[in-house]
């Protein structure tokens, strides 16, 4: 009897579909101890999933090669160092699936909170910090996972259909401040939902970058102002194909839109990019935020 959760089963299914027919037939014989005879790829995959005790067991099988797991993680927006060993990729994949299960539970809680808040008048909840069930750090994690998966899906090199990117995710007067340090320093500003959306999309769609956020405590911080602005600051690494090009720090200002079911929309974005040559040998595997709380508080005003 399979011990896979729905999330693990879906992930294993995706990975198995990238195996050749010969490897799938061989893997079926191994997993089922040749007890189940199958005639085609579909039957082989179903038998393998049904007889797998747990996800780690399947990922560690020889036929599930390191490169297949590496490519799967990349398509999920999780970029690992090119020299990662298979056991590191397996561990990261299991962490990803575990986090997805937690997020689905959290998303349900967030949806309930949002539905409740949609029925409240503005005077019922003047301060977000006072609302029951509202956790800014959870919102920050949820938002970053949603935003970077959406943005990375625009990158054609990942071979996945682009998700619904566009100006609808921004306030009409949104402002993007882009500071890049790669040899020389350059500052650009963009104003308006259309321009900001197009410039951010160009990072992945035209420049073929992948932005991988660090959602651990030292890489993610959220602040809430008394006026309803939620500040989400996140650090991460920038990749193109298998190469790590540098790190980024991104600060989002989020405000609810009362006309759109109180959904969160982006009011401003400050993006700082540092190339490898500007890092001076700094460790980039899981970059930490350089902004302190005082600097972030200033942006809340």
């Amino acid at each position: 009897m399979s011990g896979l959760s729905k999330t693990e089963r879906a992930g294993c299914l995706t990975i198995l579909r990238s195996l050749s027919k010969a490897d799938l037939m061989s893997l079926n014989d191994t997993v089922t101890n040749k007890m189940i005879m199958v005639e085609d790829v579909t039957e082989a995959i179903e038998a393998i999933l049904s007889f797998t005790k747990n996800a780690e067991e399947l990922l560690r099988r020889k036929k599930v090669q390191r490169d297949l797991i590496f490519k799967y993680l990349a398509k999920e927006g999780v970029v690992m160092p090119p020299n990662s060993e298979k056991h590191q990729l397996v561990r990261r994949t299991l962490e990803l699936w575990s986090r997805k299960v937690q997020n689905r539970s959290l998303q349900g809680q967030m949806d309930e909170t949002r539905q409740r808040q949609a029925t409240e008048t503005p005077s019922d909840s003047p301060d977000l910090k006072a609302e029951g069930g509202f956790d800014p750090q959870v919102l920050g994690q949820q938002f970053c996972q949603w935003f970077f998966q959406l943005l990375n899906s625009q990158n054609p090199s990942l071979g996945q259909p682009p998700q619904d990117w566009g100006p609808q995710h921004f306030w009409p007067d949104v402002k993007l401040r882009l500071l890049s340090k790669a040899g020389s320093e350059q500052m650009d500003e963009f104003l308006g939902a259309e321009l900001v959306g197009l410039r951010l999309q160009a990072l992945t769609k035209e420049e073929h970058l992948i932005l991988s956020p660090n959602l651990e405590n030292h890489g993610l911080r959220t602040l809430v102002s008394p006026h309803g602005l939620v500040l989400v600051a996140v650090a991460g690494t920038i990749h193109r194909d298998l190469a790590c090009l540098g790190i980024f720090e991104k600060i989002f200002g989020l405000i609810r839109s009362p006309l759109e079911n109180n959904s969160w929309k982006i009011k401003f974005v400050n993006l700082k990019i540092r190339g490898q040559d500007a890092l001076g040998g700094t460790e980039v595997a899981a970059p930490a935020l350089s902004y302190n709380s005082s600097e972030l508080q200033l942006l809340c005003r």
Side-chain angles (χ1 to χ4, degrees):
M1 184 70 179
S2 173
L4 303 176
S5 69
K6 286 184 179 179
T7 299
E8 290 170 338
R9 184 182 174 89
C12 288
L13 178 62
T14 301
I15 293 172
L16 288 174
R17 282 175 174 162
S18 60
L19 268 69
S20 68
K21 181 177 181 180
D23 282 346
L24 279 172
M25 294 301 183
S26 173
L27 185 57
N28 171 71
D29 288 345
T30 303
V31 173
T32 68
N33 200 20
K34 296 187 177 180
M35 291 170 55
I36 304 294
M37 301 300 293
V38 295
E39 296 182 0
D40 56 33
V41 164
T42 303
E43 288 183 4
I45 290 176
E46 185 57 40
I48 291 165
L49 292 175
S50 297
F51 278 77
T52 292
K53 295 187 182 71
N54 57 66
E56 183 174 4
E57 177 190 74
L58 181 59
L59 291 175
R60 291 188 180 277
R61 299 283 187 187
K62 285 184 180 179
K63 294 296 183 184
V64 182
Q65 296 176 357
R66 173 199 169 280
D67 289 354
L68 297 179
I69 304 175
F70 187 91
K71 289 176 182 176
Y72 169 79
L73 286 172
K75 287 185 177 181
E76 288 290 313
V78 179
V79 184
M80 297 287 286
N83 58 351
S84 298
E85 296 181 9
K86 183 178 177 181
H87 70 88
Q88 295 171 315
L89 299 174
V90 168
R91 186 174 69 244
R92 188 66 186 87
T93 304
L94 295 173
E95 288 172 359
L96 170 68
W97 292 342
S98 174
R99 180 172 283 168
K100 279 188 174 184
V101 171
Q102 294 169 4
N103 287 344
R104 191 168 288 120
S105 173
L106 289 171
Q107 186 64 55
Q109 296 171 24
M110 293 285 287
D111 289 343
E112 286 180 19
T113 303
R114 190 179 294 116
Q115 288 171 6
R116 188 182 71 249
Q117 289 160 347
T119 63
E120 295 173 345
T121 62
S123 58
D124 289 332
S125 53
D127 187 345
L128 291 175
K129 289 177 289 188
E131 293 175 5
F134 180 85
D135 185 337
Q137 194 72 5
V138 170
L139 173 65
Q141 287 184 333
Q142 290 276 330
F143 171 78
C144 286
Q145 284 161 343
W146 167 81
F147 178 86
F148 288 102
Q149 188 172 40
L150 177 66
L151 183 60
N152 287 331
S153 77
Q154 311 301 309
N155 186 332
S157 65
L158 288 183
Q160 62 186 45
Q163 296 175 27
D164 186 24
W165 179 269
Q168 69 272 20
H169 303 305
F170 304 89
W171 285 91
D173 60 348
V174 62
K175 178 187 274 190
L176 165 64
R177 183 172 293 160
L178 176 57
L179 174 65
S180 56
K181 295 182 180 179
S184 60
E185 184 172 309
Q186 182 177 340
M187 166 74 85
D188 294 301
E189 288 193 353
F190 302 85
L191 186 63
E194 197 72 40
L195 269 181
V196 169
L198 287 172
R199 182 62 190 96
L200 289 172
Q201 186 184 40
L203 292 172
T204 53
K205 188 174 182 180
E206 273 84 46
E207 299 172 41
H208 290 195
L209 301 178
I210 298 172
L211 279 66
S212 180
N214 174 18
L215 301 184
E216 304 304 323
N217 288 335
H218 63 287
L220 176 70
R221 189 173 296 138
T222 56
L223 287 176
V224 183
S225 83
H227 312 294
L229 172 72
V230 175
L231 214 64
V232 179
V234 64
T237 48
I238 304 170
H239 306 256
R240 182 182 290 125
D241 297 324
L242 300 181
C244 180
L245 304 183
I247 67 174
F248 71 86
E249 290 184 271
K250 204 164 193 174
I251 302 176
F252 299 92
L254 307 179
I255 299 178
R256 277 205 180 97
S257 174
L259 300 178
E260 298 178 62
N261 295 324
N262 269 347
S263 60
W264 294 99
K265 298 182 76 168
I266 301 167
K267 182 70 172 177
F268 68 81
V269 184
N270 291 355
L271 175 57
K272 185 195 298 182
I273 292 175
R274 286 184 287 166
Q276 284 279 22
D277 52 353
L279 294 175
T282 309
E283 175 61 44
V284 300
L289 282 168
S290 64
Y291 294 96
N292 60 40
S293 294
S294 300
E295 290 171 316
L296 293 176
Q297 287 282 3
L298 290 174
L299 290 169
C300 275
R301 294 177 182 174

